[in-house]
């Protein structure tokens, strides 16, 4: 099975359109903001590699942590708890001129293991192996 390494212009346009749809839906509810639309828009504006990673992370978060609210945090896709505290976020490579993106966890995540533990995980590209590892660490962080 070959891994897709980038989003087509059509796929990026579709992400932007979905963000616009979410914004229109929110306007009909007379609310000022739709955080998920902001996340989708931020993903659509990333480089192909970062957008692919962020898109997969977004899907996993919806699946494993439907109780967390998607939002942007300093322009990065993030997922907050019921107290609006960011638990998980994706620090994409080009935002900080890094060679890879980072899946990051704040102190609300339950990753504690002994006297020292990782809270940031480098993701240079998406693969089935990365997906399995992300699912495992997200489940641990959220005590699933």
């Amino acid at each position: 099975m070959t891994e897709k390494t980038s989003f087509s212009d059509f796929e990026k346009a579709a992400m932007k359109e979905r963000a616009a749809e979410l914004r229109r839906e929110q306007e009909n509810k007379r609310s000022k903001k739709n955080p998920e639309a902001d996340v989708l828009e931020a993903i659509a504006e990333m480089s192909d590699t970062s957008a692919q990673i962020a898109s997969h992370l977004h899907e996993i978060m919806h699946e494993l942590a439907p109780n967390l609210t998607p939002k942007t945090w300093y322009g990065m896709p993030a997922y907050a708890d019921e107290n609006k505290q960011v638990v998980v976020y994706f620090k994409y490579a080009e935002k900080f001129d890094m060679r890879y993106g980072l899946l990051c966890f704040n102190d609300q995540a339950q990753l504690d293991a002994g006297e020292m533990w990782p809270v940031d995980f480098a993701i240079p590209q998406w693969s089935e192996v990365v997906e399995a590892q992300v699912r495992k660490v997200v489940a641990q962080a959220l005590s699933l």
Side-chain angles (χ1 to χ4, degrees):
M1 178 173 145
T2 60
E3 287 291 323
K4 187 175 175 182
T5 58
S6 65
F7 285 103
S8 69
D9 290 340
F10 177 78
E11 290 168 315
K12 285 185 175 186
M15 283 189 274
K16 287 182 180 181
E17 178 57 31
R18 180 62 182 141
E21 287 172 6
L22 289 170
R23 287 190 199 291
R24 285 191 298 274
E25 288 173 16
Q26 198 65 23
E27 286 171 8
N28 291 336
K29 294 177 185 175
R30 299 191 184 271
S31 178
K32 293 181 180 179
K33 194 172 181 182
N34 186 317
E36 184 158 15
D38 293 341
V39 169
L40 293 174
E41 193 172 284
I43 291 171
E45 293 173 358
M46 292 177 191
S47 71
D48 289 343
T49 300
S50 290
Q52 183 187 33
I53 294 167
S55 181
H56 284 291
L57 290 173
H58 188 68
E59 291 172 15
I60 289 171
M61 295 308 295
H62 268 293
E63 180 185 333
L64 296 181
N67 58 318
L68 295 183
T69 303
K71 62 183 271 178
T72 53
W73 191 54
Y74 299 103
M76 299 175 286
Y79 303 87
D81 64 16
E82 64 279 355
N83 298 318
K84 299 183 181 180
Q85 298 293 311
V86 171
V87 179
V88 183
Y89 62 99
F90 178 60
K91 186 184 288 187
Y92 57 101
E94 55 274 12
K95 183 164 182 75
F96 297 96
D97 198 26
M98 300 183 304
R99 64 185 180 106
Y100 46 74
L102 295 171
L103 175 61
C104 304
F105 296 87
N106 282 336
D107 61 346
Q108 292 83 4
Q110 302 300 309
L111 294 173
D112 307 33
E115 294 183 26
M116 188 172 107
W117 54 88
V119 292
D120 293 350
F121 297 86
I123 305 176
Q125 65 183 26
W126 195 259
S127 69
E128 290 177 3
V129 171
V130 168
E131 181 173 346
Q133 291 172 325
V134 166
R135 287 179 175 279
K136 182 178 176 183
V137 74
V138 167
Q140 179 185 351
L142 304 174
S143 299
L144 300 177

